[in-house]
Amino acid sequence: MNETKKTNYAYLLGAFFITAVLVLMYSVVFESKDSELPIFNPSDFNPELVDALVQRNNNHIVSDFSLTNQNGEKITQADYENKIYVADFFFTRCPSICPVMSNNMKKLQDIFANDDDIMLLSLSVTPVLDSVPLLKEYANEHGAIKNKWNITTGNKKHIYNLARKSYFAVVEQGDGGLQDFIHTPNFILVDAQKQIRGVYDGTKDKEIKRIIADIKLLQKRAHKSTN
C-alpha cells in the first residue's frame, strides 16, 4: 500500500470512527431524553386547573371512579387496573371539537387494538342528557370496541370532581351543579400506576402523534420492568 492510499485509508477510518462516536452520542442523548416521561403532580399544572384541596399533593394518582358505559355496565378503576389509558371529556351533542376528539380516540383505539394493556375512557360532561342508549349510538358511530373504549355517563358532581381534582382537565369553577358546564380538548395519559404522564390537545394531529409515541414509551418501560 503506497503512502497516498495509506493516508486515504487513515482518513476514512478516522471519519468512520468519528461518525460512529457521534451517532452513539446522539442516540444516548435522545434515548435518555425520550425514554422518560414526566410524572405530573398538581404543582406541574396551571394553579387555576388544580383544586385547592390537592395542590400540595406531590404523589398524585387518579381517584377511584364509578361510571356507566355505553353497554349499561358499571365501570370502575378496577377495570383499568394495571392498564395504560387515555381519558377525555366530551358530550354527544357537541358540534365542534368533540367529533374531532372522538375520531382521534378511534385512531388511538385502532393503533392499539391488539394491545390489551392500552384502554380508553371518555366521560360525558352532560351526563343527564347522555343516556346509555345515546352513548350506545355514539359508540357505534365511532366504532368503540367493547372493553377497550368505555364511553361513560354517571353522577355529574362525581364526573366534574374527577375532571378538576383527578385529571386537572378544566379550570376550577362551579360544583357540578345544574348550571355548571365544562368543556376541554384535553387528552390525559394515565399509566398503570394511575399517575398522569401527559396532557395533549386531542384536536391536533401533531399531539395525537406525540401521545402515540408516549404510550409506546410507557409500554416499553412496562415490558422492561416485567422481564
Side-chain angles (χ1 to χ4, degrees):
M1 185 181 293
N2 59 38
E3 291 301 320
T4 301
K5 287 184 177 180
K6 286 182 179 180
T7 301
N8 290 340
Y9 179 77
Y11 281 142
L12 287 172
L13 187 62
F16 176 80
F17 178 76
I18 291 171
T19 301
V21 170
L22 289 174
V23 169
L24 179 62
M25 290 174 62
Y26 179 91
S27 64
V28 168
V29 168
F30 281 86
E31 176 67 19
S32 62
K33 177 182 178 181
D34 293 339
S35 64
E36 294 286 348
L37 290 179
I39 296 173
F40 286 86
N41 284 305
S43 60
D44 298 309
F45 289 87
N46 179 339
E48 292 184 351
L49 292 171
V50 181
D51 188 274
L53 295 175
V54 298
Q55 283 181 352
R56 295 180 181 275
N57 182 3
N58 292 319
N59 296 290
H60 179 75
I61 61 173
V62 173
S63 300
D64 292 342
F65 51 80
S66 181
L67 305 163
T68 302
N69 73 3
Q70 66 268 29
N71 300 308
E73 300 165 332
K74 183 178 180 181
I75 299 298
T76 70
Q77 192 72 263
D79 295 287
Y80 288 79
E81 191 73 24
N82 298 319
K83 305 292 185 181
I84 298 165
Y85 71 95
V86 178
D88 76 336
F89 294 82
F90 83 110
F91 59 108
T92 59
R93 292 170 175 79
C94 169
S96 54
I97 65 172
C98 294
V100 178
M101 293 167 63
S102 294
N103 287 339
N104 283 332
M105 288 289 266
K106 174 64 163 55
K107 288 180 184 178
L108 296 179
Q109 177 185 251
D110 290 346
I111 289 170
F112 297 103
N114 296 319
D115 294 294
D116 292 338
D117 56 338
I118 309 297
M119 294 180 65
L120 306 173
L121 176 65
S122 293
L123 300 89
S124 172
V125 300
T126 58
V128 174
L129 298 176
D130 285 335
S131 62
V132 169
L134 273 178
L135 292 183
K136 183 68 174 179
E137 182 180 344
Y138 193 85
N140 288 339
E141 288 175 358
H142 291 87
I145 298 173
K146 179 178 170 62
N147 299 326
K148 183 74 172 180
W149 180 7
N150 289 300
I151 302 177
T152 64
T153 187
N155 177 274
K156 185 176 181 180
K157 286 191 176 183
H158 177 54
I159 290 172
Y160 280 45
N161 272 332
L162 288 169
R164 291 167 173 152
K165 297 179 182 178
S166 271
Y167 298 104
F168 309 125
V170 291
V171 174
E172 168 64 22
Q173 54 185 4
D175 60 358
L178 184 63
Q179 302 302 319
D180 198 1
F181 180 74
I182 60 174
H183 202 197
T184 171
N186 289 349
F187 280 11
I188 302 96
L189 177 60
V190 182
D191 68 15
Q193 289 72 46
K194 300 185 283 189
Q195 302 169 121
I196 296 176
R197 304 304 294 270
V199 180
Y200 315 78
D201 187 329
T203 67
K204 296 181 178 178
D205 289 339
K206 183 178 180 181
E207 290 285 273
I208 300 307
K209 291 177 181 177
R210 186 165 70 92
I211 196 172
I212 290 167
D214 288 351
I215 290 171
K216 290 179 178 179
L217 282 177
L218 288 180
Q219 278 186 303
K220 183 179 178 181
R221 288 189 59 79
H223 291 158
K224 280 184 178 180
S225 64
T226 57
N227 292 332

